[in-house]
């Protein structure tokens, strides 16, 4: 597997001093995000520092061709020199663009927090939605994966996607529910929280590097015996994603993701539930 690539650069903040894992790791994959990464990092750290709980923020530069790595490292250096922070900022980078799935996997497998959140670099879902996902987790009931979801009645779409992306997303989800994750309304929202155990169990088995990695992760989560909470969140479409610069690029990605569904079922057909999760739930759960 390709998750053991060696980062070209790492920048760390030495806080906190305690030799304990942070309560939360936040993984942000970034590809050619130099223009909008800094506001996301500032907003994320401001919110997390306000909670006064140890955290780490891990930015994974997915072989960007712009100044994404420099922005991430510069922010990490400034945060390290500031007083009063509760976190550690880490900037990881590898040379060749591998895809969002690889970047997320790369960061998660190097995260040290008790819980792991991965989120998009454009901050489409604000950090203030995190407590909703945290409240949904219940490891005692194998409920160790919570995902932001846009189609739920209680969700708030403050800025909608272009019509062709909404139509494509709904169509893709219907196929995904049929072939991989029945009952999950939104596999693609970039705001997902897992316990450290679930994150390692799931992402150590993931293989897809492209945008269908979310489907693969949720498919594996169910096969391993983890329950998934789908949580309504606030979300606002952000223009400027490097991966979808045109309608034709979006269409090509969508077709590739549909092709991935068959591969997901094939490569994980022999996965069995984790022994510790195989116990039947109590009546009424």
């Amino acid at each position: 597997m390709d998750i053991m690539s060696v980062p070209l650069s790492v920048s760390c903040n030495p806080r906190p001093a305690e030799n304990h894992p942070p309560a939360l790791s936040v993984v942000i994959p970034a590809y050619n995000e130099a223009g909008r990464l800094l506001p996301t990092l500032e907003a994320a750290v401001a919110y997390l520092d306000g909670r006064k709980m140890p955290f780490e923020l891990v930015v994974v530069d997915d072989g960007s061709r712009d100044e994404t790595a420099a922005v991430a490292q510069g922010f990490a250096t400034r945060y390290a020199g500031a007083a009063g922070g509760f976190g550690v900022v880490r900037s990881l980078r590898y040379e060749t663009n591998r895809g969002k799935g690889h970047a997320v996997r790369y960061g998660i497998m190097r995260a040290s927090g008790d819980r792991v959140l991965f989120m998009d670099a454009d901050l489409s879902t604000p950090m203030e939605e995190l407590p909703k996902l945290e409240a949904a987790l219940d490891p005692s009931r194998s409920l160790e994966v919570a995902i932001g979801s846009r189609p739920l009645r209680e969700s708030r779409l403050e800025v909608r996607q272009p019509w062709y992306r909404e139509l494509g997303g709904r169509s893709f989800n219907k196929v995904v529910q049929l072939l991989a994750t029945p009952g999950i309304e939104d596999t693609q929202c970039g705001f997902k929280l897992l316990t450290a155990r679930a994150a390692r169990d799931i992402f150590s088995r993931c293989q897809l590097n492209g945008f269908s990695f979310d489907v693969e992760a949720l498919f594996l989560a169910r096969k391993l015996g983890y329950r998934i909470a789908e949580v309504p969140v606030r979300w606002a479409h952000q223009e400027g994603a490097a991966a979808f610069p045109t309608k034709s690029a979006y269409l090509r990605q969508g077709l590739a993701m549909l092709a991935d569904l068959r591969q997901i079922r094939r490569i994980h057909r022999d996965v069995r539930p984790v022994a510790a999760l195989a116990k039947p739930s109590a009546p009424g759960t």
Side-chain angles (χ1 to χ4, degrees):
M1 297 177 64
D2 53 9
I3 61 173
M4 297 308 295
S5 306
V6 177
L8 293 182
S9 55
V10 179
S11 181
C12 295
N13 176 353
R15 299 187 303 259
E18 299 87 350
N19 293 320
H20 300 293
L24 176 71
S25 295
V26 178
V27 175
I28 302 179
Y31 175 63
N32 290 347
E33 293 284 4
R36 58 184 180 180
L37 179 60
L38 183 58
T40 294
L41 299 181
E42 291 174 340
V45 163
Y47 174 79
L48 294 169
D49 271 338
R51 287 162 42 115
K52 296 180 171 55
M53 297 168 56
F55 70 90
E56 68 171 355
L57 191 152
V58 182
V59 183
V60 182
D61 177 9
D62 184 28
S64 297
R65 298 188 300 270
D66 65 2
E67 297 301 311
T68 295
V71 171
Q73 288 186 287
F75 178 81
T77 300
R78 291 192 299 276
Y79 182 68
F86 285 81
V88 173
V89 176
R90 303 168 59 196
S91 173
L92 308 181
R93 181 177 186 269
Y94 42 84
E95 186 65 34
T96 304
N97 175 242
R98 307 295 295 275
K100 186 178 179 181
H102 181 273
V104 170
R105 184 165 71 247
Y106 191 95
I108 285 179
M109 296 306 293
R110 288 157 178 78
S112 59
D114 294 330
R115 293 177 172 182
V116 182
L117 173 77
F118 66 89
M119 57 179 283
D120 289 341
D122 62 8
L123 205 63
S124 295
T125 301
M127 286 296 300
E128 288 77 9
E129 299 299 280
L130 174 60
K132 296 179 182 178
L133 272 64
E134 291 176 321
L137 295 186
D138 185 356
S140 68
R141 300 170 59 220
S142 303
L143 218 170
E144 301 191 40
V145 180
I147 63 174
S149 182
R150 294 163 291 184
L152 300 182
R153 181 177 300 176
E154 300 86 353
S155 299
R156 286 173 50 193
L157 301 186
E158 297 173 341
V159 179
R160 303 188 75 95
Q161 301 179 84
W163 67 268
Y164 63 90
R165 291 192 63 167
E166 285 205 8
L167 178 61
R170 288 196 296 268
S171 301
F172 177 72
N173 181 260
K174 289 183 182 300
V175 179
V176 168
Q177 290 207 49
L178 179 65
L179 297 180
T181 56
I184 296 181
E185 297 293 334
D186 187 359
T187 59
Q188 303 308 115
C189 180
F191 201 74
K192 295 181 172 67
L193 179 70
L194 305 89
T195 65
R197 174 175 72 162
R200 287 191 295 268
D201 284 348
I202 295 166
F203 281 89
S204 64
R205 293 172 169 85
C206 285
Q207 298 183 35
L208 300 188
N209 290 340
F211 287 94
S212 48
F213 83 93
D214 295 90
V215 179
E216 181 186 28
L218 297 176
F219 179 83
L220 273 168
R222 280 188 165 170
K223 291 210 73 174
L224 290 168
Y226 292 102
R227 299 172 63 200
I228 300 167
E230 197 165 6
V231 180
V233 292
R234 286 187 293 140
W235 187 87
H237 173 68
Q238 305 293 331
E239 290 291 347
F244 306 123
T246 64
K247 291 181 183 180
S248 60
Y250 178 76
L251 177 60
R252 288 194 300 272
Q253 288 284 358
L255 293 174
M257 290 169 69
L258 287 173
D260 283 341
L261 295 179
R262 184 176 180 182
Q263 184 180 5
I264 289 169
R265 291 168 60 92
R266 177 180 59 80
I267 62 181
H268 299 303
R269 62 180 179 272
D270 295 327
V271 172
R272 296 291 180 266
V274 177
L277 302 176
K279 301 175 182 177
S281 300
T285 63

